[in-house]
Amino acid sequence: MSTFRSSDLPPAVSLRPPHVLIAGAGIGGLMLANILEKTDITYEIFEKSKEIKPLGSTTCLNPTVMPAFEQLGLYEDLLEISHPVSTGVLRNADAKIESLIDCGDNNETAGYEYALVARARLYELLLSRVPPEKIIPGKRVVSFLQNKEGVMVRFQDRTTIHGDILVGADGTYSGVRQHLFKELNKMGKLPKSDQKLPTSGHICMVGYTTPFDPETYPELKSNRGHTDVMISNKSPWSWNTTNLRGHVVAWSASRQLNSEEFAYEHLKNSEWSPEMFEPLVKEVSDFKTPYGTLGSLIEATPKECISRVFLEKKFFETWTYSRTVLIGDGAVNAIQDAIVLANCIYEMRENSYDAIFTALTSYREQQYDYSKTQYESSKFNGKVFYGHTIFDRALRHILANYLPPSARAQSVAKIMAYRPQIAFLPLIPNRGTAEVESQKPSAKYLEQQAWLANAVQAT
């Protein structure tokens, strides 16, 4: 695989690459690091947790990110740790099947299948390609200062670091986002929509078991993944299970919050603490699943593999200001953001404030419309699969039982058309029959190729 660095360029166009500070060693931060490893752009990752370890249950990667995994040499490794998606099953609270959603074989149309993977395994794959010395744990961002000379980040342990670009990849409750919004609000530059708190959300408990005996649960013998979604008609709970590689079952339980509960959880704003474990387990332990009760799955899950998260839906208008930029939180969205952001930083012709401002602005312009569409789609799917109102139930019944396959295929095709690739690596051709949005190689990349070709000819 061809990789180009500024040292390959003639002295007239060489420049000192920017030093990028990445707050958060999650999926987005690690993907960005993997891409920057293919350049001479220097970076460091600062993770608030003292121990670098993944949390969460399962992640479904769609074909839009597969070309980038190919470019990075990660695609075959991803296939080794994931299942292609087969079906989605909607069940009632007694785990009785109400409807099936056939995900089909996407190889012919999309060129790739959806990949169901344990979030921990995906995390480990991305982490394995990042030099350990570039990740510094126990560094929680509390504030930062930025001007035309650079950006200085302050951490909770009272240490500081200087760089050229600060990337907030530290999740929904990003310390970078909170400080940026606070400063913009003081200056009267924060949009009104970003000043408002969300009004609804879910509290979730997620995890994944140790391996089960496939003779006890024959479904685990399948080499394809499927997700079972159970929805209660008598409570605000929904829960799901997914079979993963290695005869492991990923599970989650989600409770829709009323306005008072939501306000309390938002104020508390904590991800997990041991004292929160038992009350939630008591609430969900009798819930039925295709693999026994949810309580039995929790018993088969090591405590370090269980996490509690507070989920809220909100689309932010503010993505960047000065030298600071934010990337998404969901796996696919975060990966796409990392790809486009890396392209924009790479394309910089000089390491100046104006060049950085232009690059970060271009990143938002390229990603905004697609991200907004994805947010609306995710919000709609949340109502379909996890909503508890009468309207949500009616909508779920209609879409699951009466939506024509052609309409579903058309919707999927629209999503699959956008597949951002790493513009300074050889582009992957379209593998399927479906149309995809064209992407040009980096102009800087093409100039480098031409210069190198001429240099070779001259020698």
Side-chain angles (χ1 to χ4, degrees):
M1 181 178 293
S2 179
T3 301
F4 294 95
R5 304 176 185 275
S6 62
S7 57
D8 296 324
L9 295 173
V13 291
S14 292
L15 53 83
R16 178 182 72 81
H19 185 58
V20 180
L21 309 177
I22 304 173
I27 299 299
L30 291 178
M31 186 66 177
L32 180 59
N34 272 260
I35 300 172
L36 295 183
E37 279 293 313
K38 301 298 182 181
T39 73
D40 61 355
I41 297 170
T42 60
Y43 70 90
E44 294 172 275
I45 302 177
F46 302 93
E47 169 56 39
K48 62 185 177 182
S49 302
K50 292 183 178 180
E51 183 180 356
I52 306 296
K53 66 176 183 178
L55 295 174
S57 180
T58 184
T59 295
C60 184
L61 297 180
N62 66 37
T64 66
V65 299
M66 298 306 177
F69 274 79
E70 276 201 75
Q71 290 180 292
L72 292 170
L74 296 171
Y75 181 62
E76 295 301 325
D77 293 319
L78 177 63
L79 295 184
E80 288 295 319
I81 62 174
S82 64
H83 272 325
V85 177
S86 179
T87 56
V89 184
L90 290 177
R91 299 174 181 265
N92 60 25
D94 292 322
K96 302 295 183 183
I97 295 177
E98 291 190 337
S99 58
L100 299 174
I101 300 175
D102 186 0
C103 298
D105 186 342
N106 294 281
N107 270 327
E108 182 178 348
T109 55
Y112 307 91
E113 294 195 89
Y114 287 72
L116 273 173
V117 59
R119 193 175 183 88
R121 301 293 301 278
L122 174 62
Y123 184 93
E124 290 164 359
L125 173 61
L126 295 176
L127 183 64
S128 69
R129 305 300 177 89
V130 179
E133 66 273 14
K134 294 186 178 182
I135 305 179
I136 301 93
K139 293 289 186 179
R140 182 185 291 272
V141 174
V142 293
S143 65
F144 55 87
L145 296 173
Q146 55 184 342
N147 55 33
K148 290 198 173 184
E149 303 303 317
V151 58
M152 182 186 74
V153 180
R154 292 192 180 101
F155 301 103
Q156 195 173 34
D157 62 4
R158 298 185 180 182
T159 60
T160 60
I161 188 73
H162 292 78
D164 298 301
I165 297 172
L166 172 61
V167 180
D170 44 350
T172 303
Y173 302 107
S174 161
V176 175
R177 184 192 302 279
Q178 289 179 15
H179 182 74
L180 178 63
F181 281 23
K182 180 180 177 181
E183 292 302 305
L184 288 175
N185 201 28
K186 285 181 182 178
M187 294 185 287
K189 295 182 178 181
L190 187 66
K192 288 185 178 180
S193 61
D194 287 347
Q195 298 174 30
K196 297 177 181 178
L197 294 177
T199 57
S200 62
H202 292 75
I203 192 75
C204 299
M205 184 166 60
V206 302
Y208 54 95
T209 69
T210 52
F212 281 147
D213 182 358
E215 297 303 323
T216 303
Y217 300 110
E219 300 94 333
L220 296 178
K221 295 180 181 180
S222 175
N223 61 0
R224 298 187 67 85
H226 59 268
T227 296
D228 294 270
V229 179
M230 282 64 66
I231 305 172
S232 174
N233 290 325
K234 299 178 180 179
S235 75
W237 281 98
S238 56
W239 56 102
N240 64 63
T241 58
T242 303
N243 63 312
L244 299 175
R245 283 268 188 166
H247 305 149
V248 167
V249 176
W251 55 268
S252 72
S254 173
R255 180 160 64 85
Q256 195 168 17
L257 302 173
N258 60 39
S259 57
E260 289 184 3
E261 292 171 328
F262 178 83
Y264 173 74
E265 290 292 342
H266 193 279
L267 180 65
K268 189 165 55 175
N269 187 17
S270 58
E271 292 185 355
W272 177 255
S273 60
E275 61 269 17
M276 298 176 180
F277 182 77
E278 290 304 326
L280 282 178
V281 171
K282 288 179 181 179
E283 274 196 77
V284 306
S285 61
D286 292 332
F287 292 171
K288 296 179 181 178
T289 81
Y291 305 97
T293 64
L294 194 54
S296 66
L297 295 181
I298 294 172
E299 287 180 4
T301 302
K303 286 194 175 182
E304 64 270 19
C305 296
I306 301 175
S307 55
R308 172 191 180 276
V309 292
F310 172 52
L311 301 178
E312 58 183 359
K313 288 288 184 182
K314 182 172 175 62
F315 186 82
F316 294 102
E317 293 294 324
T318 304
W319 292 29
T320 179
Y321 180 75
S322 187
R323 294 174 176 269
T324 302
V325 62
L326 305 169
I327 63 177
D329 191 29
V332 170
N333 181 242
I335 290 170
Q336 292 178 338
D337 283 356
I339 295 166
V340 176
L341 177 59
N343 287 343
C344 293
I345 295 174
Y346 176 85
E347 203 66 18
M348 288 167 48
R349 297 289 176 165
E350 59 182 26
N351 186 17
S352 67
Y353 178 84
D354 288 343
I356 289 171
F357 179 84
T358 299
L360 302 188
T361 301
S362 177
Y363 153 72
R364 184 188 185 276
E365 289 174 349
Q366 291 182 50
Q367 278 293 90
Y368 180 88
D369 288 343
Y370 181 80
S371 295
K372 186 69 177 289
T373 299
Q374 286 299 94
Y375 165 77
E376 296 296 343
S377 176
S378 175
K379 187 176 179 181
F380 178 79
N381 288 336
K383 291 177 68 66
V384 172
F385 287 101
Y386 303 107
H388 288 81
T389 67
I390 294 176
F391 173 79
D392 295 338
R393 297 180 197 281
L395 181 64
R396 180 162 52 244
H397 178 76
I398 292 170
L399 293 180
N401 295 285
Y402 300 106
L403 183 68
S406 59
R408 184 177 292 120
Q410 186 177 12
S411 175
V412 170
K414 186 176 180 180
I415 295 172
M416 295 303 106
Y418 179 67
R419 306 181 189 185
Q421 295 194 41
I422 303 164
F424 50 87
L425 295 177
L427 299 180
I428 304 298
N430 184 14
R431 304 289 193 210
T433 58
E435 292 186 8
V436 298
E437 294 181 20
S438 61
Q439 180 172 342
K440 295 180 180 179
S442 155
K444 187 173 164 184
Y445 167 82
L446 293 177
E447 290 172 12
Q448 290 173 333
Q449 281 191 312
W451 185 86
L452 288 172
N454 290 333
V456 170
Q457 278 189 336
T459 58

